[in-house]
Amino acid sequence: MRSDRALLLLSLPIVWFAAGCASVPRDAGFADVRATVMARTGADLRWNRGQNLPEIAAQVDRLLTGELTVDKAVAVALLNNRDLQATLEELGVAQADLLQAGLLRNPILGGELRFPAAPVRPFEITLAQPVLELFVLPLRKRVAASAFEASKLRVTDAVLGLESETRAAFFRVQAAEQAVASLRTLAEAAATAAALADRQNRAGNITDLDLAAERALAEQSKLDLVQGQIELTGSREALNRDLGLARTGIDWKVAAQLPELPATDLPLAGLEAAAVEKRQDLAALRRDVEAAARALPLTRTSAIEEAQVGAHRDRDASGATTTGPVAALSVPIFNWGQAARRRAEARYRQAEHRYQARVAQVQSEVREAWGRLTASRQAAELYRDSLVPLRRSLVELTQTAYNGMQVGVFQLLQAQRDEVLAERGAVDARRDYWMARARLERAIAARLPAGEPKEPASSHQPTAGRSPGGAS
């Protein structure tokens, strides 16, 4: 009995030590991810683990009711996108890996029975615990902790990536809807011109060549409208995928107009350094380097593949029992751990190279995104401040000339079509600006200051589709 207690007492410290090393964050680090996303985007993040599904569905329905803004779209995506939810489960996997790193292997219970001629059956029982990992457990936990932090950072980066992608998809939908409206106006104007050309041809006022040209323009306008509707459908479905909407009959409506440009944008100076500091993917790679560095000392024990200590209890054929310690140790004759050391060193250098390569890529992404933002702003401002007002003025002058019978009706209709095309180009340029802005925010992992919008020099509406004044 006393020997049984000795075996039990021998194993209790090991069990206690293992249990003490198994503590991990209970929420798998989700609170940190959620706080970072909230600080960077202003949107809340939910981890759907099979709970509160009706509540989440009701919240999504509320957000989709009424006019869908870009901020509402981001909120829906962070609540409802199943790919994102699958990514969040990486936190659970990383939590399990961290837990595993703090656990010892179970003790090994062994025994043997002997069958001599004597009536008493002698036996031997052993209980052995691998002890080498007791010495490397703190190092192993530090490596796993670095890997756990890297997983949290990668998950956060994926969330921010979806946020940026959703913003860009939203702006594409807005621009596509405005483009379809412009194309419909053009198609209606072209149909009106073709009908007018047909009447004038029958009256002998225009040639068959002029009539054919107007008819071809009308048919091309119909085709352009169909292509625009196809692009709108594709844009809406792309946004549906980001929003995680799988239901049929989804009927959300976006705000009618793209937002105006802000008055100013940030200069390039400082953005590259800010990106290197704030990017979650870079922070994850820094953790990878840290984990690889912490793994280097673990190779010192790789030559000793097994080490066990424990106790045994033995009864011989005469009935006498003995109890005592046992130990086993692998002898490093053939394997001195050189392969493990070289592998660990190579992985450390690999992690360093990957981090430095990604730093250069991130800096390049910032410069490219800022360049696109600047060029898109210039294009949008040229449309807004120069080309669109000029086209509008040309329509007004052509209308005056038409009223004075100085130009024909087809010249007036062409001026109106040119104005609508300029309006559509202005929409595309504004779309490109906001998409470039979303890419830049993604590149620097921060929202750019909104600033006050710069209003157009004068408000105006496209005039294509109006009946020419005085035409009969």
Side-chain angles (χ1 to χ4, degrees), residues 5-18:
R5 290 198 192 99
L7 286 172
L8 180 62
L9 292 175
L10 179 65
S11 62
L12 280 178
I14 297 176
V15 175
W16 173 82
F17 186 80

Side-chain angles (χ1 to χ4, degrees), residues 396-407:
E396 294 172 352
L397 292 173
T398 307
Q399 181 75 57
T400 301
Y402 174 79
N403 292 339
M405 302 182 67
Q406 296 174 343
V407 298

Side-chain angles (χ1 to χ4, degrees), residues 296-380:
L296 288 173
L298 290 174
T299 62
R300 297 171 186 167
T301 62
S302 61
I304 303 175
E305 298 175 349
E306 193 62 74
Q308 297 179 358
V309 296
H312 79 94
R313 182 176 178 83
D314 180 77
R315 174 181 291 178
D316 60 21
S318 65
T321 60
T322 59
T323 301
V326 295
L329 179 69
S330 62
V331 181
I333 297 177
F334 306 109
N335 178 9
W336 288 89
Q338 61 270 34
R341 285 193 296 273
R342 291 182 182 181
R343 184 183 300 109
E345 290 167 358
R347 284 178 175 169
Y348 172 74
R349 293 192 300 269
Q350 185 181 59
E352 274 282 359
H353 291 316
R354 283 177 175 166
Y355 172 71
Q356 295 299 335
R358 189 62 185 144
V359 167
Q361 291 172 5
V362 165
Q363 292 172 333
S364 176
E365 288 173 8
V366 171
R367 293 191 298 270
E368 180 184 2
W370 186 85
R372 286 180 180 272
L373 183 74
T374 303
S376 299
R377 168 181 281 278
Q378 291 173 350

Side-chain angles (χ1 to χ4, degrees), residues 379-455:
E381 289 177 340
L382 283 171
Y383 271 107
R384 181 193 64 195
D385 300 334
S386 299
L387 186 57
V388 171
L390 283 173
R391 288 299 184 189
R392 186 168 68 94
S393 177
L394 280 171
V395 169
E396 294 172 352
L397 292 173
T398 307
Q399 181 75 57
T400 301
Y402 174 79
N403 292 339
M405 302 182 67
Q406 296 174 343
V407 298
V409 64
F410 297 109
Q411 289 175 278
L412 176 57
L413 290 172
Q414 183 60 49
Q416 293 172 347
R417 284 194 290 262
D418 290 341
E419 182 192 9
V420 174
L421 288 173
E423 283 282 351
R424 183 186 174 187
V427 169
D428 289 344
R430 237 177 24 251
R431 174 204 63 198
D432 292 343
Y433 170 83
W434 286 107
M435 290 179 64
R437 187 179 175 94
R439 280 193 291 267
L440 181 57
E441 289 177 338
R442 172 73 175 113
I444 64 174
R447 294 292 305 277
L448 294 171
E452 293 296 325
K454 184 177 180 181
E455 296 296 334

Side-chain angles (χ1 to χ4, degrees), residues 166-188:
T166 303
R167 287 182 177 276
F170 181 88
F171 295 135
R172 278 194 294 269
V173 171
Q174 278 191 310
E177 291 200 347
Q178 288 186 252
V180 166
S182 297
L183 290 169
R184 186 173 289 112
T185 301
L186 286 172
E188 292 170 355

